[in-house]
Amino acid sequence: MNKHSIIFLALDTHKEFNEVAYCEEQRGAQPVHYGRIPSSKVSMKKLIRQFESKYPGATLHVVYEAGPCGYWIYRLITSLGHCCYVVAPSLIPKKPGERIKTDRRDALKLVKLLKSEDLTPIYVPEPEDEAVRDLSRAREAAMKDLKEAKYQLKALLLRNNIRYAGSANWSKKHLRWLTELILPHPAQHIVLQEQLQTIEERIRRLERLDNELTHHVFQWRYYPVVKAIQAMRGVRLLVAVGVVAELGDLHRFDHPRKLMAYLGLVPSEHSSGGKRHLGAITKCGNGRARRLLIEGAHSYRYPANISTDIQLRQEGLPKDIVDIAWKAQLRLCKRYQRMNKKGKHYNLIITAIAREMAAYIWAIAKEVVLTPVNPKLRLSRVPA
């Protein structure tokens, strides 16, 4: 066999096993079902060695679907010198008449689509970037758990017609008032004490995650980008970290419209002939990054202004980045007022502002020069 030939390999990944299928490069070659192997590093290396010995000099092109098993297969195969692609399940072509789904069929279908170049691979983050993203998501989950505990406590007080006379909930004065409460029944008082203890534990958990996130972000290779996009209004540390951690390298988008489409902030379209119909936004891509941008877009409903907080975030940044941030604020504040005067729905206005925020974030990220990742120093997270 020619040493420059290609062997296509598909994996239908699961927690305990992987279903394998392969196909040769020449025209007319049919996909072959290889079998089932354990989902482990040793088994994957053995599989690669078998194909290397069977097809000496050939390059393996491996594909599998993105899922809960992560990217360790991708990192292992690329470290062995072969090509690997991870595809999103939602982007895999599917025939309308398909009603039978098995692991064997999925593997054969994947390898056939890979050979015909009908699959679009997704972006795979570096292990360090994925670690910061996990920490950012853990902090968000902790905040969600804290809010849920507070809602449960307030519901208990509402059912018993107990009202706080002060103005600021969850302040130190409010928490002291909660500790002094005595409910009529001892069982309800136990519930109150348990809920207060849960809130206190979750507050401490959130503080720990905040400290760790701040510590690791300052040592992150994308920190220059995180610092730069904070020059924009509505983008503080948590929003900046979340957006960059979810999107990764923004230089892979050669135009801001592609970033907008990746975030699902562009309108859906169903046009045919002379008719053109635009619907709601597609909501495809990364939902968390889209939500963070929409949260930041609410701040543009006020007139353009450089507040003290924004001025502090812009200290030490290049003038080009500060100018882009000011240009964005002038344009987006005016656009909000213009759309509001036309009677547009508030949610539609905020979505439009978030869409343009993504473009300005892309422009700022293009101004930041990053150090490439050294493969020899890459953090390995491949399980044994």
Side-chain angles (χ1 to χ4, degrees):
M1 173 163 292
N2 191 335
K3 65 178 182 179
H4 298 294
S5 62
I6 297 174
I7 301 300
F8 301 100
L9 199 66
L11 306 173
D12 187 48
T13 56
H14 298 274
K15 178 182 177 181
E16 302 294 339
F17 63 88
N18 296 325
E19 202 76 28
V20 184
Y22 69 96
C23 185
E24 296 179 354
E25 180 187 17
Q26 60 265 27
R27 182 181 179 88
Q30 294 298 318
V32 179
H33 179 241
Y34 177 85
R36 180 175 295 184
I37 64 171
S39 181
S40 65
K41 180 180 177 182
V42 175
S43 301
M44 192 60 59
K45 283 186 174 181
K46 181 180 178 182
L47 175 70
I48 298 300
R49 286 197 302 267
Q50 288 176 349
F51 276 93
E52 287 175 343
S53 62
K54 184 177 181 181
Y55 301 96
T59 302
L60 300 182
H61 286 239
V62 186
V63 66
Y64 69 97
E65 294 183 23
C69 297
Y71 303 114
W72 71 268
I73 296 177
Y74 171 89
R75 291 167 184 146
L76 174 61
I77 292 174
T78 52
S79 67
L80 297 175
H82 297 285
C83 300
C84 187
Y85 311 97
V86 185
V87 296
S90 60
L91 298 180
I92 297 177
K94 182 180 179 181
K95 297 179 181 178
E98 288 185 358
R99 292 294 184 270
I100 301 176
K101 182 185 183 302
T102 62
D103 298 336
R104 182 176 181 273
R105 282 174 176 256
D106 288 344
L108 292 171
K109 177 182 176 182
L110 271 179
V111 74
K112 189 175 181 180
L113 291 173
L114 177 63
K115 183 180 178 181
S116 61
E117 299 183 358
D118 289 330
L119 295 176
T120 303
I122 65 172
Y123 169 77
V124 178
E126 292 291 333
E128 179 193 5
D129 305 339
E130 188 180 9
V132 176
R133 186 184 67 181
D134 290 340
L135 186 57
S136 176
R137 291 180 177 180
R139 193 265 174 200
E140 183 177 339
M143 174 59 78
K144 184 178 180 181
D145 292 342
L146 176 59
K147 288 183 177 180
E148 183 180 356
K150 289 180 177 180
Y151 292 153
Q152 290 176 356
L153 177 57
K154 292 178 73 173
L156 174 66
L157 299 180
L158 181 62
R159 288 196 303 270
N160 290 275
N161 196 26
I162 299 175
R163 303 170 186 241
Y164 176 57
S167 57
N169 285 334
W170 311 114
S171 61
K172 292 184 178 180
K173 182 179 179 181
H174 181 225
L175 292 175
R176 286 195 299 268
W177 175 78
L178 289 172
T179 57
E180 295 171 357
L181 281 178
I182 299 178
L183 295 185
H185 198 280
Q188 288 180 323
H189 192 67
I190 293 296
V191 174
L192 174 63
Q193 295 301 318
E194 288 292 335
Q195 290 182 344
L196 286 174
Q197 186 175 355
T198 300
I199 291 174
E200 184 65 26
E201 291 174 353
R202 293 183 179 180
I203 288 175
R204 290 197 297 267
R205 174 193 173 197
L206 183 62
E207 291 174 351
R208 290 194 302 268
L209 288 172
D210 279 334
N211 294 334
E212 291 298 325
L213 184 62
T214 304
H215 171 72
H216 287 282
V217 164
F218 287 147
Q219 301 176 354
W220 191 24
R221 69 187 183 102
Y222 280 127
Y223 176 68
V225 180
V226 172
K227 181 175 175 57
I229 66 175
Q230 288 185 72
M232 291 188 59
R233 185 175 186 171
V235 183
R236 296 191 181 184
L237 179 63
L238 294 177
V239 174
V241 172
V243 170
V244 176
E246 296 295 335
L247 299 180
D249 186 11
L250 293 178
H251 291 82
R252 59 195 171 98
F253 300 101
D254 55 6
H255 197 277
R257 287 196 183 93
K258 293 186 178 180
L259 176 58
M260 297 174 187
Y262 176 80
L263 292 169
L265 289 170
V266 296
S268 57
E269 183 175 358
H270 185 79
S271 301
S272 179
K275 296 182 179 179
R276 184 168 183 258
H277 175 72
L278 298 178
I281 59 174
T282 60
K283 291 187 179 181
C284 61
N286 195 295
R288 182 168 179 251
R290 179 173 64 250
R291 181 181 57 77
L292 290 172
L293 288 176
I294 288 178
E295 287 181 1
H298 289 275
S299 63
Y300 288 92
R301 64 185 185 273
Y302 304 109
N305 179 40
I306 300 295
S307 63
T308 305
D309 185 54
I310 296 178
Q311 189 174 8
L312 290 174
R313 300 202 303 265
Q314 292 179 351
E315 287 182 358
L317 293 176
K319 186 177 184 301
D320 293 341
I321 293 177
V322 176
D323 291 343
I324 293 174
W326 176 240
K327 179 181 177 181
Q329 188 173 169
L330 287 176
R331 174 178 170 82
L332 297 182
C333 290
K334 288 180 180 178
R335 187 172 188 194
Y336 177 89
Q337 298 298 331
R338 185 169 61 252
M339 295 181 72
N340 189 39
K341 289 180 181 178
K342 289 183 178 180
K344 300 292 184 179
H345 193 276
Y346 181 75
N347 292 343
L348 189 148
I349 299 174
I350 294 300
T351 303
I353 298 298
R355 180 167 56 246
E356 292 205 22
M357 280 181 66
Y360 284 106
I361 288 176
W362 176 88
I364 291 176
K366 297 286 282 186
E367 298 291 330
V368 181
V369 179
L370 297 174
T371 305
V373 177
N374 187 353
K376 296 182 180 179
L377 302 177
R378 182 175 288 156
L379 175 66
S380 177
R381 297 180 62 194
V382 178

